[in-house]
Amino acid sequence: MIETILPADVVAVDTFDDPPDATLLPEEESIVAKAIEKRRREFTTARHCARAALARLGVPPAPILAGRLNEPLWPAGVVGTITHCAGYRGVVVAADSKITTVGIDAEPNEPLTSGVLESVALPDERAHVAELLQARPEVRWDRMLFCAKEAVYKSWFPLAQRWLDFEDAVVTMRPGSAGASTGVFDARLLVVGPRVGGRRLTGFTGRWLVEQGLILTAIVVPVAVSARPSRVREAGGVR
């Protein structure tokens, strides 16, 4: 499903359940050895999807371990990202010769828990969400904001190798035409970003999709775009 908002240079594999034949490699077992069953199922299915996606890139099966902040560690020559929520698991991978970084996230199209919006959104963002909810209440724009910020962080971290807080980026969502199930969002960084392609990273542009009770967000930064961060592409990019 997420391939709807992704360019051709990336490979996506997603699923709405946990396949009974999904297994972990021995090196991955220790990561979830003490995890509860729900976490173990999510982790196992995500690794199962990741190996299917890597196979489509011609990459042989390999353990996908976790880094210091629990980020997935991909084989050499690959960039990738993982997301999971209730009823959905998704993985996107690409060759690093074509894609600089990628970030995706999935959330249910439901209101955020009380108090969460105030902890993740800046005042202007909360006002933006309120306007969108009034105009198009069928989309939970509060959850969309959260989902977009998660995709921003997943795109940021491989480039910066440091944490990015929710208040460190301002997200603006563009809903598109009335009733549209896809659209675009922009994220402007409020902290100094790393240099990408010889230029300072100042933000991202991504795409969103609302379908089957889910909100999906995706940012994809092609290598060619990373050398020209002032240009924004609708398919996702860097500014």
Side-chain angles (χ1 to χ4, degrees):
M1 185 168 72
I2 198 168
E3 66 272 6
T4 303
I5 54 173
L6 294 170
D9 284 337
V10 303
V11 173
V13 173
D14 54 10
T15 180
F16 297 95
D17 56 21
D18 295 310
D21 60 338
T23 58
L24 296 176
L25 296 181
E27 299 92 332
E28 297 165 335
E29 286 281 356
S30 62
I31 302 174
V32 287
K34 299 181 180 180
I36 62 173
E37 183 59 25
K38 176 179 179 291
R39 164 63 176 155
R40 184 178 178 85
R41 288 198 309 269
E42 292 172 344
F43 185 92
T44 301
T45 300
R47 264 52 185 182
H48 176 81
C49 291
R51 275 185 273 280
L54 290 170
R56 290 169 56 184
L57 285 182
V59 178
I64 302 166
L65 304 179
R68 60 187 176 89
L69 294 181
N70 210 35
E71 75 279 10
L73 301 178
W74 300 99
V78 174
V79 296
T81 182
I82 293 173
T83 189
H84 46 72
C85 68
Y88 183 82
R89 290 83 166 91
V91 176
V92 171
V93 297
D96 66 5
S97 60
K98 295 182 178 180
I99 302 297
T100 298
T101 191
V102 58
I104 64 169
D105 196 60
E107 296 286 336
N109 186 24
E110 299 172 358
L112 285 173
T113 303
S114 178
V116 172
L117 182 64
E118 289 74 18
S119 67
V120 303
L122 297 165
D124 286 351
E125 291 175 321
R126 294 198 292 272
H128 177 54
V129 164
E131 291 174 358
L132 290 171
L133 282 171
Q134 186 171 19
R136 290 190 57 185
E138 76 278 9
V139 177
R140 288 309 312 188
W141 298 99
D142 51 343
R143 184 77 69 160
M144 174 89 70
L145 179 75
F146 179 87
C147 195
K149 289 203 171 191
E150 287 289 302
V152 168
Y153 174 74
K154 293 177 183 179
S155 302
W156 156 276
F157 186 80
L159 303 176
Q161 289 295 303
R162 66 180 188 271
W163 190 259
L164 186 75
D165 285 326
F166 284 111
E167 65 268 24
D168 291 336
V170 177
V171 170
T172 303
M173 295 162 289
R174 293 187 262 156
S177 58
S181 61
T182 64
V184 178
F185 65 90
D186 300 309
R188 178 171 56 88
L189 294 173
L190 301 180
V191 295
V192 177
R195 289 193 173 274
V196 179
R199 299 286 296 276
R200 185 71 66 184
L201 177 68
T202 60
F204 298 96
T205 293
R207 297 189 66 195
W208 58 261
L209 168 70
V210 178
E211 192 171 312
Q212 298 188 42
L214 295 169
I215 295 172
L216 303 177
T217 55
I219 294 170
V220 179
V221 181
V223 168
V225 174
S226 71
R228 300 190 301 275
S230 62
R231 298 182 62 184
V232 176
R233 295 186 180 180
E234 294 294 294
V238 59
R239 297 199 311 280

